[in-house]
mmCIF file of all heavy atoms in Angstrom:
data_model
loop_
_atom_site.group_PDB
_atom_site.id
_atom_site.type_symbol
_atom_site.label_atom_id
_atom_site.label_comp_id
_atom_site.label_asym_id
_atom_site.label_seq_id
_atom_site.Cartn_x
_atom_site.Cartn_y
_atom_site.Cartn_z
ATOM 1 N N ALA A 81 -73.881 34.206 19.862
ATOM 2 C CA ALA A 81 -75.085 33.753 20.574
ATOM 3 C C ALA A 81 -75.612 34.806 21.537
ATOM 4 O O ALA A 81 -76.823 34.916 21.745
ATOM 5 C CB ALA A 81 -74.787 32.457 21.321
ATOM 6 N N ASP A 82 -74.724 35.607 22.101
ATOM 7 C CA ASP A 82 -75.177 36.634 23.045
ATOM 8 C C ASP A 82 -75.533 37.947 22.357
ATOM 9 O O ASP A 82 -75.814 38.944 23.009
ATOM 10 C CB ASP A 82 -74.122 36.857 24.135
ATOM 11 C CG ASP A 82 -72.803 37.383 23.598
ATOM 12 O OD1 ASP A 82 -72.629 37.440 22.373
ATOM 13 O OD2 ASP A 82 -71.939 37.745 24.433
ATOM 14 N N GLY A 83 -75.536 37.966 21.021
ATOM 15 C CA GLY A 83 -75.967 39.139 20.271
ATOM 16 C C GLY A 83 -74.874 40.140 19.958
ATOM 17 O O GLY A 83 -75.148 41.232 19.472
ATOM 18 N N THR A 84 -73.628 39.802 20.230
ATOM 19 C CA THR A 84 -72.510 40.704 19.956
ATOM 20 C C THR A 84 -72.064 40.552 18.502
ATOM 21 O O THR A 84 -71.776 39.446 18.062
ATOM 22 C CB THR A 84 -71.312 40.371 20.878
ATOM 23 O OG1 THR A 84 -71.765 40.334 22.229
ATOM 24 C CG2 THR A 84 -70.213 41.406 20.718
ATOM 25 N N PRO A 85 -72.027 41.661 17.745
ATOM 26 C CA PRO A 85 -71.546 41.559 16.358
ATOM 27 C C PRO A 85 -70.023 41.374 16.322
ATOM 28 O O PRO A 85 -69.290 42.034 17.055
ATOM 29 C CB PRO A 85 -71.964 42.879 15.729
ATOM 30 C CG PRO A 85 -72.125 43.813 16.871
ATOM 31 C CD PRO A 85 -72.489 42.990 18.074
ATOM 32 N N VAL A 86 -69.572 40.475 15.444
ATOM 33 C CA VAL A 86 -68.154 40.193 15.278
ATOM 34 C C VAL A 86 -67.838 40.335 13.796
ATOM 35 O O VAL A 86 -68.578 39.814 12.958
ATOM 36 C CB VAL A 86 -67.811 38.761 15.759
ATOM 37 C CG1 VAL A 86 -66.347 38.446 15.526
ATOM 38 C CG2 VAL A 86 -68.181 38.589 17.215
ATOM 39 N N PRO A 87 -66.754 41.031 13.459
ATOM 40 C CA PRO A 87 -66.415 41.174 12.038
ATOM 41 C C PRO A 87 -66.174 39.810 11.391
ATOM 42 O O PRO A 87 -65.538 38.944 11.975
ATOM 43 C CB PRO A 87 -65.135 42.004 12.029
ATOM 44 C CG PRO A 87 -64.939 42.501 13.409
ATOM 45 C CD PRO A 87 -65.799 41.708 14.319
ATOM 46 N N GLY A 88 -66.695 39.669 10.168
ATOM 47 C CA GLY A 88 -66.491 38.438 9.421
ATOM 48 C C GLY A 88 -65.096 38.382 8.829
ATOM 49 O O GLY A 88 -64.323 39.340 8.919
ATOM 50 N N PRO A 89 -64.760 37.250 8.185
ATOM 51 C CA PRO A 89 -63.412 37.116 7.625
ATOM 52 C C PRO A 89 -63.130 38.126 6.514
ATOM 53 O O PRO A 89 -62.009 38.617 6.390
ATOM 54 C CB PRO A 89 -63.383 35.687 7.095
ATOM 55 C CG PRO A 89 -64.803 35.245 7.023
ATOM 56 C CD PRO A 89 -65.567 36.071 7.993
ATOM 57 N N GLY A 90 -64.122 38.474 5.718
ATOM 58 C CA GLY A 90 -63.923 39.474 4.654
ATOM 59 C C GLY A 90 -63.657 40.852 5.225
ATOM 60 O O GLY A 90 -62.866 41.619 4.673
ATOM 61 N N ALA A 91 -64.309 41.160 6.337
ATOM 62 C CA ALA A 91 -64.090 42.455 6.975
ATOM 63 C C ALA A 91 -62.671 42.536 7.523
ATOM 64 O O ALA A 91 -62.024 43.588 7.449
ATOM 65 C CB ALA A 91 -65.101 42.678 8.090
ATOM 66 N N THR A 92 -62.181 41.428 8.049
ATOM 67 C CA THR A 92 -60.814 41.406 8.564
ATOM 68 C C THR A 92 -59.807 41.591 7.424
ATOM 69 O O THR A 92 -58.845 42.351 7.549
ATOM 70 C CB THR A 92 -60.550 40.080 9.301
ATOM 71 O OG1 THR A 92 -61.543 39.921 10.314
ATOM 72 C CG2 THR A 92 -59.178 40.068 9.930
ATOM 73 N N VAL A 93 -60.046 40.899 6.308
ATOM 74 C CA VAL A 93 -59.169 41.049 5.139
ATOM 75 C C VAL A 93 -59.204 42.492 4.645
ATOM 76 O O VAL A 93 -58.167 43.086 4.338
ATOM 77 C CB VAL A 93 -59.579 40.070 4.018
ATOM 78 C CG1 VAL A 93 -58.865 40.403 2.720
ATOM 79 C CG2 VAL A 93 -59.310 38.644 4.434
ATOM 80 N N GLY A 94 -60.393 43.078 4.569
ATOM 81 C CA GLY A 94 -60.520 44.468 4.135
ATOM 82 C C GLY A 94 -59.800 45.428 5.061
ATOM 83 O O GLY A 94 -59.150 46.378 4.604
ATOM 84 N N LEU A 95 -59.888 45.181 6.356
ATOM 85 C CA LEU A 95 -59.207 46.033 7.329
ATOM 86 C C LEU A 95 -57.687 45.929 7.167
ATOM 87 O O LEU A 95 -56.982 46.938 7.186
ATOM 88 C CB LEU A 95 -59.614 45.659 8.753
ATOM 89 C CG LEU A 95 -58.973 46.473 9.871
ATOM 90 C CD1 LEU A 95 -59.351 47.939 9.743
ATOM 91 C CD2 LEU A 95 -59.369 45.932 11.214
ATOM 92 N N ILE A 96 -57.198 44.722 6.975
ATOM 93 C CA ILE A 96 -55.759 44.533 6.767
ATOM 94 C C ILE A 96 -55.309 45.240 5.485
ATOM 95 O O ILE A 96 -54.273 45.912 5.459
ATOM 96 C CB ILE A 96 -55.402 43.031 6.738
ATOM 97 C CG1 ILE A 96 -55.593 42.435 8.138
ATOM 98 C CG2 ILE A 96 -53.980 42.805 6.244
ATOM 99 C CD1 ILE A 96 -55.515 40.930 8.195
ATOM 100 N N LEU A 97 -56.093 45.086 4.412
ATOM 101 C CA LEU A 97 -55.764 45.773 3.156
ATOM 102 C C LEU A 97 -55.752 47.287 3.344
ATOM 103 O O LEU A 97 -54.877 47.979 2.810
ATOM 104 C CB LEU A 97 -56.762 45.401 2.060
ATOM 105 C CG LEU A 97 -56.620 44.011 1.439
ATOM 106 C CD1 LEU A 97 -57.787 43.758 0.483
ATOM 107 C CD2 LEU A 97 -55.304 43.872 0.734
ATOM 108 N N ALA A 98 -56.717 47.815 4.087
ATOM 109 C CA ALA A 98 -56.786 49.259 4.324
ATOM 110 C C ALA A 98 -55.562 49.749 5.091
ATOM 111 O O ALA A 98 -54.996 50.803 4.764
ATOM 112 C CB ALA A 98 -58.063 49.604 5.081
ATOM 113 N N ILE A 99 -55.138 48.995 6.079
ATOM 114 C CA ILE A 99 -53.966 49.394 6.861
ATOM 115 C C ILE A 99 -52.709 49.357 5.999
ATOM 116 O O ILE A 99 -51.901 50.292 6.009
ATOM 117 C CB ILE A 99 -53.817 48.492 8.111
ATOM 118 C CG1 ILE A 99 -54.950 48.801 9.097
ATOM 119 C CG2 ILE A 99 -52.456 48.676 8.770
ATOM 120 C CD1 ILE A 99 -55.059 47.828 10.246
#
Side-chain angles (χ1 to χ4, degrees):
D82 63 352
T84 308
V86 177
T92 305
V93 169
L95 180 61
I96 291 170
L97 285 174
I99 290 170

